[in-house]
């Protein structure tokens, strides 16, 4: 028996273009004093990253894929096929890397190997939508002599920040400060610079503030105004907006604001022409606001949500969806005077004519620091199997 343990040192979330590093440890758990202790042998072990694409057959019409060669290989249990048994199509994969050949482990002995691979910058982000899914996994395959291959799958999340792949790092860094007592591999240096660049780009894009003021009106007149100071956010931030109903001619009885994503299939892949898009609500605020002069809301963008993106199959966009309920009568009819003799009381009317209307405001949502997103990831940094 051999235990195989794979650990992602920095966490299970990465930016496309970063280097994924995983330490894989092979252990013979039996102690030398055990009566059944013996040396264990593995013929080889390899590792490979792949992205699996799955689409809903009811919503997405994909062209047939030519997977005959792949299917022939998948039937052979001695061939390393990382996505064997997985649903959907493998749309992206890195070259497989051999970890070792002919490994012998004595009782109680362990050996660790480091796997490093740069995540492709031209792939889609991790996404689990209503119509399509993009799932990234690191698959480690190992085999005993004359035995089937065993696969250990390590799922992880990929965030895509557009513009990173077009950035060229300077070749001459002689003027950059360095510590001669620290040795640093070139790949890790570039990876660190990539993360710093991404943080800087995100900070610049999401810190810009300017007043955006919108008039809220229906066919009968002005209801109020809506104010928001920015329309570009990172996942994990709060969307904050304010309403001013004091200058409105039409009383607003109630409003709601929903933070939504709009998942639409590209026209050429739609199962039915003109099929409706899919909406997902991530946060919602509702408030009764009759006789309210000003109000506000704050909607958090979940760290687990996917930033907006577009591929050849699907497009994901973010928006604020507003719904307003206004009085269909004059402002003075919203309250009625009571009939008490000693004091005047005002009560709400039992019935009222109302009008409803909605409005959508597009916003842009970008990734965040992958280390921050790792804290709420559904994936574990450590995965293991026993063979």
């Amino acid at each position: 028996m051999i235990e195989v343990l794979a650990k992602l040192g920095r966490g299970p979330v990465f930016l496309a273009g970063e280097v994924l590093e995983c330490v894989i440890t092979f252990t013979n758990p039996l102690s030398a004093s055990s009566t059944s202790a013996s040396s264990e042998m593995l013929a080889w072990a390899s590792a490979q990253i792949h992205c699996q694409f799955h689409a809903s057959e009811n919503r997405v019409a994909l062209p047939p894929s030519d997977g005959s060669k792949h299917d022939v290989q998948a039937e052979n249990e001695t061939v390393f096929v990382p996505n064997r048994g997985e649903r959907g199509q493998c749309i992206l994969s890195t070259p497989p890397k051999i970890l070792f050949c002919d490994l012998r482990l004595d009782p109680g002995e362990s050996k660790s190997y480091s796997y490093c691979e740069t995540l492709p910058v031209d792939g889609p982000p991790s996404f689990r939508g209503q119509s399509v899914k993009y799932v990234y996994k690191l698959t480690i395959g190992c085999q005993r002599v004359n035995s089937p291959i065993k696969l250990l799958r390590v799922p992880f999340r990929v965030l895509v920040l557009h513009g990173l792949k077009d950035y060229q790092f300077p070749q001459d860094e002689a003027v950059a400060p360095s510590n001669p007592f620290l040795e640093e591999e070139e790949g890790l240096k570039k990876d660190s610079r990539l993360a710093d660049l991404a943080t800087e780009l995100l900070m610049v894009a999401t810190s810009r503030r300017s007043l955006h003021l919108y008039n809220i009106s229906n066919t009968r007149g002005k209801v109020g105004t809506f104010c928001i100071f920015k329309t570009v956010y990172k996942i994990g931030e709060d969307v904050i907006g304010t309403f001013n109903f004091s200058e409105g001619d039409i009383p607003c009885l109630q409003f709601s604001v929903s933070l939504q994503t709009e998942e639409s299939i590209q026209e050429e892949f739609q199962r039915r022409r003109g099929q409706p898009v899919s909406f997902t609500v991530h946060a919602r605020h509702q408030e009764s606001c009759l006789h309210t002069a000003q109000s506000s809301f704050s909607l958090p963008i979940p760290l687990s949500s996917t930033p907006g993106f577009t591929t050849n199959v699907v497009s994901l966009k973010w928006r604020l969806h507003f719904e307003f309920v206004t009085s269909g009568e004059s402002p003075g009819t919203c309250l009625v005077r009571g009939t008490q003799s000693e004091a005047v009381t005002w009560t709400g009317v039992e019935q009222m004519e109302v009008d409803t209307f909605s409005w959508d405001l597009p916003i842009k949502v970008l990734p965040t620091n992958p280390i921050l997103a790792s804290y709420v990831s559904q994936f574990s940094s450590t995965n293991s199997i026993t063979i």
Side-chain angles (χ1 to χ4, degrees):
M1 181 177 65
I2 295 180
E3 295 178 353
V4 185
L5 177 70
K7 183 175 182 180
L8 298 171
R10 206 200 62 185
V13 183
F14 300 86
L15 278 173
E18 279 192 301
V19 174
L20 178 147
E21 184 174 0
C22 181
V23 177
I24 304 113
T25 303
F26 299 83
T27 304
N28 183 348
L30 295 178
S31 64
S33 59
S34 175
T35 57
S36 59
S38 62
S39 297
E40 297 281 357
M41 296 287 298
L42 281 179
W44 58 266
S46 293
Q48 186 176 10
I49 292 172
H50 61 100
C51 177
Q52 207 71 12
F53 169 71
H54 179 262
S56 169
E57 296 181 355
N58 297 328
R59 301 182 182 184
V60 183
L62 294 175
S65 60
D66 184 14
S68 57
K69 180 179 179 181
H70 178 78
D71 291 339
V72 171
Q73 290 184 342
E75 294 176 358
N76 188 347
E77 292 187 348
T78 62
V79 176
F80 178 45
V81 181
N83 61 323
R84 177 187 285 120
E86 295 269 27
R87 298 178 60 191
Q89 304 175 8
C90 179
I91 61 170
L92 182 150
S93 62
T94 60
K97 291 185 177 181
I98 298 176
L99 300 178
F100 62 79
C101 290
D102 297 329
L103 174 65
R104 176 189 177 95
L105 292 175
D106 294 327
E109 184 180 8
S110 295
K111 287 191 177 181
S112 297
Y113 300 85
S114 179
Y115 170 84
C116 295
E117 184 63 79
T118 301
L119 297 173
V121 295
D122 53 354
S126 298
F127 177 61
R128 292 182 178 269
Q130 300 183 38
S131 300
V132 302
K133 296 179 182 179
Y134 295 103
V135 181
Y136 282 85
K137 293 180 181 180
L138 165 63
T139 299
I140 301 155
C142 47
Q143 183 182 27
R144 294 176 180 269
V145 178
N146 299 324
S147 299
I149 294 177
K150 298 295 184 179
L151 300 178
L152 170 59
R153 293 193 169 99
V154 182
F156 60 94
R157 182 184 179 192
V158 173
L159 301 173
V160 175
L161 179 58
H162 299 288
L164 276 184
K165 65 179 181 179
D166 300 324
Y167 184 83
Q168 298 294 327
F169 290 102
Q171 298 297 323
D172 184 11
E173 297 187 348
V175 297
S178 61
N179 188 336
F181 300 101
L182 295 178
E183 294 183 359
E184 197 171 16
E185 296 181 6
E186 183 61 28
L188 296 179
K189 289 176 62 178
K190 183 176 180 180
D191 191 42
S192 175
R193 287 179 292 166
L194 187 74
D196 293 341
L197 174 63
T199 301
E200 182 179 348
L201 291 177
L202 288 169
M203 183 65 68
V204 171
T206 59
S207 62
R208 296 171 182 164
R209 294 178 178 271
S210 61
L211 178 63
H212 299 270
L213 196 62
Y214 302 90
N215 288 322
I216 308 170
S217 305
N218 61 9
T219 56
R220 298 179 57 243
K222 183 176 179 180
V223 178
T225 57
F226 171 68
C227 173
I228 194 170
F229 283 93
K230 68 175 188 174
T231 56
V232 181
Y233 301 87
K234 296 179 293 187
I235 56 173
E237 286 190 310
D238 293 338
V239 181
I240 300 174
T242 59
F243 294 97
N244 186 347
F245 299 110
S246 62
E247 300 176 355
D249 303 321
I250 309 299
C252 184
L253 308 180
Q254 180 179 283
F255 73 87
S256 67
V257 188
S258 300
L259 179 63
Q260 300 179 346
T261 48
E262 175 185 334
E263 179 185 351
S264 58
I265 304 301
Q266 307 294 0
E267 185 175 354
E268 64 216 80
F269 295 105
Q270 293 181 1
R271 178 64 67 181
R272 298 175 303 278
R273 183 174 295 274
Q275 69 184 33
V277 300
S278 303
F279 294 99
T280 300
V281 177
H282 299 274
R284 188 171 186 267
H285 176 89
Q286 181 174 309
E287 185 177 329
S288 297
C289 56
L290 179 62
H291 302 301
T292 299
Q294 294 181 339
S295 186
S296 62
F297 66 87
S298 177
L299 299 177
I301 304 175
L303 275 170
S304 58
S305 60
T306 302
F309 72 96
T310 299
T311 67
N312 62 324
V313 178
V314 67
S315 174
L316 186 75
K317 299 179 181 179
W318 287 77
R319 72 177 191 177
L320 292 175
H321 178 70
F322 299 82
E323 294 181 356
F324 299 94
V325 180
T326 59
S327 171
E329 304 173 0
S330 61
T333 59
C334 295
L335 296 176
V336 294
R337 184 167 180 169
T339 57
Q340 296 182 9
S341 57
E342 297 182 357
V344 176
T345 60
W346 296 88
T347 60
V349 296
E350 295 183 359
Q351 295 182 349
M352 179 182 296
E353 294 183 4
V354 297
D355 297 322
T356 61
F357 64 98
S358 60
W359 170 49
D360 296 320
L361 176 64
I363 62 173
K364 190 173 183 179
V365 176
L366 302 176
T368 189
N369 189 314
I371 299 178
L372 182 63
S374 294
Y375 293 131
V376 297
S377 177
Q378 62 177 332
F379 301 131
S380 173
S381 297
T382 305
N383 296 264
S384 64
I385 60 170
T386 301
I387 59 177

